[in-house]
Amino acid sequence: MNTWVAQAIRTIEADFNRSSDTHLIPLPLPAFPGLSLYFKDESTHPTGSLKHRLARSLFLYALCNGWIRAGTPIIEASSGSTAVSEAYFARLLGLPFIAVMPRGTSEEKIRAITFYGGQCHLVDDPSTIYDESRRLAETLGGHYMDQFTYAERATDWRGNNNIADTIFHQMALEPHPEPAWIVCGAGTGGTSATFGRYVRYQKQKTRVCVVDPENSVFHESYYSGRTDCRCQGSSGVEGIGRPRVEPSFIASVVDRVIRVPNTATYAALHFLEEVLGRKCGGSTGTNFYGVCTLISEMVAAGESGSLVTLICDDGNRYLNSYFDPAWLRAQGHDISPWLDCYRRFYDEGVWVPVA
Ligand SMILES: *Cc1c(COP(=O)(O)O)cnc(C)c1O
């Protein structure tokens, strides 16, 4: 085997070896005896999001496939976080890295990519990032990493310390170790595919619920069975929601998809800051709306059990957007009715979404 490739694989494994597991944080629910809720905090990876796992897997997959050699430029289409994590690994391996991203991507993420020595190539129309990445890779003789195609297969879904495996180990001593639901968003769809396959392989009763923001095709595609759905522009929640049905979204292992209004997502972030004492990234707000929906259904059905969801990244990445009252106002989002709704849910156990 090529010695550079062998050394590169060793370098990535060494990064893993230096890392510790991420925390599973309980949120007590006094208004719901018999139910427990946990947040898997993926913001503590070295590059600040669950995309650290994905980037590691994609690099290993590409190296073992013979797609990356010494000096190969790496190109990726990304809405931000994947590019941050891949820039980190590209630098570890001494490879040039270019991220193709929509122009609306947050300043914080662009700064993080350039911090790790990556270049940002911004495009006006988010739906062009794929073709533009392919074109750049061809022109430069580079490798287009293509997270949206390979996320579902680069991760070992059977276990091997994937995100599902670690959650089930961390749940072992909890009152309900086998979650009734795992709730996550879909960007590539890779995370929901890993959860869905893992719970089937492990013969768990856990169901997987995907939450989908406004201006994204996953909800429509899931319930219509169509894979040619399209929409324009970005979803409004960085990391989740896509303008096309990504190849890594494996609908057959998802049990449910819930559509979430963006105002409800942003309000949930502010509410979670009150009860968790910390700022979570945008997709955590979307997750929490899904959790509220499922909990109210479980209560109505007289069920007890646990739910697990994710903190995919930290809210401090979004101080100038979701956490900025002026930004919310300018975008036309009044979060106060939703804040009341979440407080009532938490304090009184009553879930009445804003009409
Ligand atoms: C990528 C991402 C997700 C969704 O994960 P996928 O595995 O790509 O579906 C959720 N939240 C954030 C912040 C992300 O960056």
Side-chain angles (χ1 to χ4, degrees):
M1 183 177 170
N2 178 307
T3 53
W4 184 86
V5 172
Q7 187 53 44
I9 292 168
R10 187 190 168 88
T11 300
I12 292 175
E13 305 253 86
D15 183 76
F16 180 68
N17 203 44
R18 288 190 299 271
S19 298
S20 55
D21 200 357
T22 62
H23 299 289
L24 190 62
I25 299 170
L27 175 65
L29 301 172
F32 299 102
L35 292 179
S36 36
L37 173 61
Y38 304 84
F39 292 85
K40 177 71 166 164
D41 181 9
E42 292 288 292
S43 71
T44 62
H45 288 290
T47 53
S49 81
L50 85 172
K51 292 305 191 315
H52 201 81
R53 294 180 192 273
L54 175 62
R56 178 169 59 222
S57 298
L58 287 168
F59 267 99
L60 287 173
Y61 190 69
L63 284 162
C64 295
N65 280 328
W67 295 341
I68 300 177
R69 309 230 149 201
T72 305
I74 306 298
I75 293 94
E76 181 65 295
S78 174
S79 63
S81 293
T82 303
V84 175
S85 301
E86 288 177 351
Y88 168 93
F89 283 105
R91 189 176 71 167
L92 273 186
L93 303 185
L95 300 174
F97 178 76
I98 304 173
V100 180
M101 303 190 294
R103 205 167 290 284
T105 306
S106 71
E107 273 301 316
E108 288 88 343
K109 283 184 188 161
I110 292 172
R111 259 200 306 280
I113 292 161
T114 43
F115 174 81
Y116 290 124
Q119 269 174 266
C120 298
H121 183 87
L122 303 179
V123 298
D124 290 316
D125 177 357
S127 68
T128 61
I129 57 174
Y130 319 98
D131 287 342
E132 188 58 14
S133 299
R134 199 166 289 116
R135 190 192 64 77
L136 265 179
E138 270 163 27
T139 314
L140 301 172
H143 174 61
Y144 169 29
M145 201 66 114
D146 198 357
Q147 57 165 333
F148 294 105
T149 298
Y150 295 109
E152 58 87 8
R153 70 193 80 160
T155 297
D156 184 350
W157 49 271
R158 294 176 204 82
N160 192 11
N161 201 48
N162 70 29
I163 189 167
D165 199 36
T166 130
I167 288 173
F168 276 86
H169 283 111
Q170 289 174 313
M171 287 292 289
L173 302 181
E174 300 307 306
H176 304 284
E178 191 176 328
W181 287 98
I182 291 176
V183 180
C184 65
T188 63
T191 304
S192 54
T194 301
F195 281 131
R197 288 169 174 158
Y198 181 88
V199 297
R200 279 161 182 78
Y201 182 66
Q202 298 290 339
K203 299 171 284 294
Q204 306 277 353
K205 287 197 271 310
T206 307
R207 284 176 289 174
V208 175
C209 175
V210 164
V211 286
D212 201 32
E214 289 171 32
N215 209 31
S216 170
V217 295
F218 292 124
H219 182 269
E220 185 197 343
S221 167
Y222 185 79
Y223 288 105
S224 69
R226 284 175 37 208
T227 53
D228 61 350
C229 315
R230 287 275 187 288
C231 62
Q232 293 291 314
S234 296
S235 70
V237 184
E238 275 192 42
I240 61 170
R242 301 296 309 160
R244 65 167 205 190
V245 184
E246 300 299 347
S248 279
F249 179 71
I250 310 296
S252 55
V253 299
V254 171
D255 298 286
R256 170 116 179 234
V257 178
I258 296 176
R259 167 135 273 204
V260 183
N262 287 350
T263 313
T265 287
Y266 307 146
L269 301 178
H270 291 256
F271 172 73
L272 285 172
E273 191 174 6
E274 294 173 6
V275 292
L276 278 176
R278 52 175 293 169
K279 290 182 165 71
C280 301
S283 66
T284 313
T286 317
N287 288 341
F288 190 66
Y289 176 98
V291 163
C292 295
T293 306
L294 294 170
I295 284 181
S296 75
E297 291 177 7
M298 288 175 75
V299 168
E303 292 171 20
S304 57
S306 61
L307 299 92
V308 176
T309 192
L310 310 178
I311 298 172
C312 294
D313 63 354
D314 193 275
N316 288 303
R317 286 178 161 187
Y318 307 99
L319 296 180
N320 299 320
S321 53
Y322 315 142
F323 286 98
D324 177 6
W327 183 90
L328 289 171
R329 248 192 326 275
Q331 305 285 317
H333 296 287
D334 178 8
I335 63 168
S336 53
W338 280 106
L339 263 179
D340 291 341
C341 162
Y342 289 119
R343 289 180 187 135
R344 193 162 167 228
F345 169 80
Y346 190 76
D347 295 336
E348 301 166 30
V350 180
W351 175 240
V352 186
V354 177

